Amino acid sequence: MLRRTLPRALSSASSSLHGVPLDATSINANVRAAEYAVRGNVLERSMELQRRMAAGEMLPFNKFVPCNIGNPHALLQLPLSFHRDVLALCISPHLATDHPSAFNTDAVERAQKYATGMGGGVGSYTNSQGILAVREEISAFITERDGHPAYADRIYLTNGASEGVRMLLTCLLRGGELRDGLLTPIPQYPLYSASLTLLGGTLVPYHLNESAEWGVQMENLAEALATARGNGVEVRGIAVINPGNPTGNILAEGQIRDIIQMAVDNKLVILADEVYQSNVWKEGASFSSFKKVACDMGYKGEDGDERLQLVSFHSTSKGYFGECGLRGGYMEVHGIGPEVRAELYKLASLSLCSNTIGQLAMGMMVNPPRPGDPSYQTFEQERGDILSSLRRRSMMVHEALNEMEGITCNKADGALYAFPRIRLSNKAKEAAAAKGIPADEYYCLKILDETGIILVPGSGFGQEEGTLHFRTTFLPSEDTMEETLRILASAHAKFMDDHRD
């Protein structure tokens, strides 16, 4: 009987080294360190309470209201008819012949166009950069929006905007002994802080000014950059969220120009997170993209002109569309040379392609029915109803929060959130410290236990030292939102009474 023997080198190594199982002590330390407050301790507590309620335990409330995350359809926002019809026809093409009267002709034609572009249908891999027909729709949308040309080969379809941000940061942050950093607004969406932690980057905070409607102050930005570089951090880019999450601020074109010029002067890549561009509530305000302002300033982004490097992100998850679960998104690169674009393509190809349903949803979001199309009137009515209701809810939340003791809240000029400041007593802060948690998290947990309303503590987004906040969406339906605010006001008053010094 032949006997297998290990090579001497392997046998020797095995005798001196032992395998390390994957456990809490051996997992990548960056994974342990990364935090994502939107799905953090308060949400975990809500899931525990949901299990207890499902087991028959009586709680002080009879339903949960998830105001912690921008997830419109989970809060019963209705999908748009045209978009779901086209998706149905793409998934099951036989529906067009089996039920010809059920679909408008423009929906059938759009599905046929996508089928031709995909070749093998929604179950097939696509080009790693995304379906060309959809990228052409996106480039046409950007061109129409900005008045400057956009190109399909500069667009990468992604599984939501978040994947695009992670891809770009993966290319930007070099790791190892290098201390690469990203200027990041505070408060910020925790995608940025968590991704920087995972990738070994350094978060360089620049604070938004709450007393000036959460505006960007260029002197603060310049100081943050100079301080970081003085401390040995190689600041490689700046993240900008416009309209803001969690703050709801909208950048004026003058502020955008200042940020662009600072990026040019300091060789910073701009990451423009513009997923809320359809959510503008302030009377007279409008959204201007970084791409538009850059081109207006003469930074056209053509190959060979890398004075400004800009990457813009958009998503199907927000706006009036709200299709979070379909995971559609794109990033457009501007002033990024062909060599880096090739590396981005390689990075995209590691996942083969983004999901086809999300790609198609992105195409329909940027290219909805037009005047004269059979589906246009229904689409325009559905979109208008969603946006006008969101505007009313944003005002409802702002007014109700400002009537509560110890709370002040700026108007949400855009996006889907309010980010009120809350002033808590020393007694409340001491109770939080005794539990080893931030005071705003203690407040959110108490509100959850009393009401079932799920909020996110401001400490998860970052905030100016000495201040406390929480974030809430205004996505529940108007009736539910009105009831939720009444319940929150009552629970808040009880919390304040229970914690008076």
Side-chain angles (χ1 to χ4, degrees):
M1 181 176 177
L2 293 175
R3 191 175 167 190
R4 293 181 185 272
T5 58
L6 291 171
R8 180 174 299 176
L10 181 57
S11 177
S12 174
S14 298
S15 65
S16 59
L17 296 176
H18 302 283
V20 180
L22 179 62
D23 58 25
T25 62
S26 65
I27 196 170
N28 185 324
N30 289 347
V31 174
R32 286 179 62 88
E35 295 182 353
Y36 188 66
V38 173
R39 295 182 181 268
N41 292 335
V42 177
L43 182 64
E44 288 182 8
R45 172 67 172 167
S46 77
M47 292 190 291
E48 177 194 338
L49 292 174
Q50 288 176 56
R51 288 191 292 270
R52 286 162 53 180
M53 180 182 282
E57 182 177 338
M58 295 296 293
L59 298 176
F61 50 88
N62 56 21
K63 67 177 179 180
F64 292 87
V65 185
C67 293
N68 60 305
I69 192 167
N71 193 10
H73 288 203
L75 290 158
L76 306 183
Q77 178 176 306
L78 295 175
L80 299 168
S81 300
F82 171 82
H83 302 72
R84 286 298 182 88
D85 284 352
V86 174
L87 287 180
L89 290 164
C90 288
I91 295 169
S92 301
H94 63 86
L95 293 175
T97 52
D98 293 352
H99 306 280
S101 61
F103 300 96
N104 286 334
T105 54
D106 55 343
V108 174
E109 290 166 2
R110 181 70 68 88
Q112 290 171 342
K113 173 188 171 183
Y114 287 151
T116 301
M118 287 184 290
V122 295
S124 302
Y125 290 133
T126 71
N127 178 285
S128 293
Q129 200 166 337
I131 300 166
L132 177 59
V134 172
R135 288 187 281 127
E136 289 173 341
E137 287 180 304
I138 294 169
S139 63
F141 158 76
I142 295 170
T143 300
E144 181 179 352
R145 181 195 67 191
D146 295 342
H148 297 281
Y151 306 99
D153 67 344
R154 312 293 173 88
I155 292 162
Y156 297 75
L157 290 165
T158 55
N159 291 306
S162 299
E163 182 179 70
V165 170
R166 288 192 296 270
M167 285 175 60
L168 197 281
L169 288 176
T170 299
C171 292
L172 193 64
L173 302 171
R174 294 168 293 178
E177 297 300 316
L178 298 167
R179 295 183 63 202
D180 287 346
L182 180 75
L183 279 162
T184 307
I186 298 297
Q188 53 98 29
Y189 178 49
L191 165 68
Y192 294 93
S193 54
S195 297
L196 286 165
T197 300
L198 285 170
L199 295 168
T202 300
L203 188 149
V204 179
Y206 66 94
H207 287 269
L208 305 179
N209 188 345
E210 185 170 10
S211 62
E213 305 298 326
W214 295 112
V216 176
Q217 292 189 307
M218 293 307 297
E219 57 270 27
N220 291 347
L221 197 49
E223 183 181 355
L225 175 61
T227 300
R229 286 183 167 170
N231 290 332
V233 177
E234 183 62 72
V235 182
R236 304 209 64 203
I238 176 172
V240 187
I241 308 173
N242 183 42
N245 175 11
T247 57
N249 63 306
I250 298 175
L251 293 177
E253 283 202 10
Q255 288 182 306
I256 295 173
R257 281 195 296 273
D258 289 343
I259 293 168
I260 288 172
Q261 194 57 53
M262 179 186 178
V264 171
D265 294 342
N266 290 280
K267 301 190 185 314
L268 302 175
V269 180
I270 298 176
L271 284 69
D273 185 334
E274 298 175 335
V275 302
Y276 298 99
Q277 60 188 262
S278 295
N279 301 117
V280 176
W281 317 126
K282 184 179 181 180
E283 200 68 38
S286 60
F287 167 79
S288 295
S289 74
F290 270 75
K291 165 80 177 296
K292 173 191 180 300
V293 178
C295 290
D296 288 347
M297 293 172 69
Y299 300 116
K300 303 292 187 180
E302 297 167 353
D303 281 347
D305 180 6
E306 298 180 7
R307 293 173 297 163
L308 172 70
Q309 295 188 305
L310 164 68
V311 184
S312 305
F313 305 92
H314 202 1
S315 168
T316 63
S317 299
K318 313 304 178 187
Y320 56 86
F321 206 58
E323 294 275 16
C324 301
L326 298 186
R327 307 311 299 137
Y330 75 77
M331 63 178 177
E332 181 195 18
V333 299
H334 180 82
I336 305 292
E339 297 86 356
V340 175
R341 296 202 302 270
E343 297 299 333
L344 282 169
Y345 185 90
K346 178 179 72 178
L347 199 55
S349 70
L350 296 180
S351 300
L352 297 173
C353 67
S354 61
N355 81 90
T356 53
I357 300 300
Q359 292 189 45
L360 299 179
M362 194 75 244
M364 285 180 281
M365 191 187 85
V366 300
N367 185 21
R370 304 287 176 137
D373 292 346
S375 299
Y376 176 73
Q377 286 189 340
T378 298
F379 164 73
E380 192 64 17
Q381 181 70 49
E382 292 172 343
R383 177 175 64 175
D385 288 348
I386 291 168
L387 291 175
S388 61
S389 177
L390 283 168
R391 175 177 279 109
R392 289 192 296 272
R393 281 176 271 168
S394 75
M395 293 301 301
M396 186 190 306
V397 169
H398 169 257
E399 291 169 4
L401 289 172
N402 278 302
E403 290 176 358
M404 297 181 198
E405 179 188 355
I407 289 183
T408 54
C409 184
N410 289 334
K411 283 185 179 179
D413 293 339
L416 302 174
Y417 315 99
F419 195 64
R421 180 176 177 180
I422 180 169
R423 293 160 179 84
L424 299 181
S425 65
N426 290 329
K427 183 178 179 180
K429 293 175 184 177
E430 289 165 3
K435 292 182 175 293
I437 58 177
D440 48 12
E441 183 175 321
Y442 175 76
Y443 172 83
C444 291
L445 287 167
K446 286 290 188 182
I447 293 297
L448 170 63
D449 286 347
E450 184 73 21
T451 68
I453 299 169
I454 309 171
L455 306 170
V456 188
S459 49
F461 299 91
Q463 52 198 344
E464 189 175 346
E465 188 174 351
T467 67
L468 299 168
H469 299 79
F470 64 85
R471 190 189 78 168
T472 178
T473 71
F474 40 82
L475 287 171
S477 68
E478 290 184 66
D479 289 345
T480 302
M481 195 79 252
E482 193 170 347
E483 177 191 18
T484 298
L485 290 168
R486 283 198 302 268
I487 294 170
L488 176 60
S490 176
H492 174 79
K494 181 178 183 298
F495 178 94
M496 300 299 276
D497 285 340
D498 291 345
H499 293 83
R500 296 201 185 278
D501 292 331

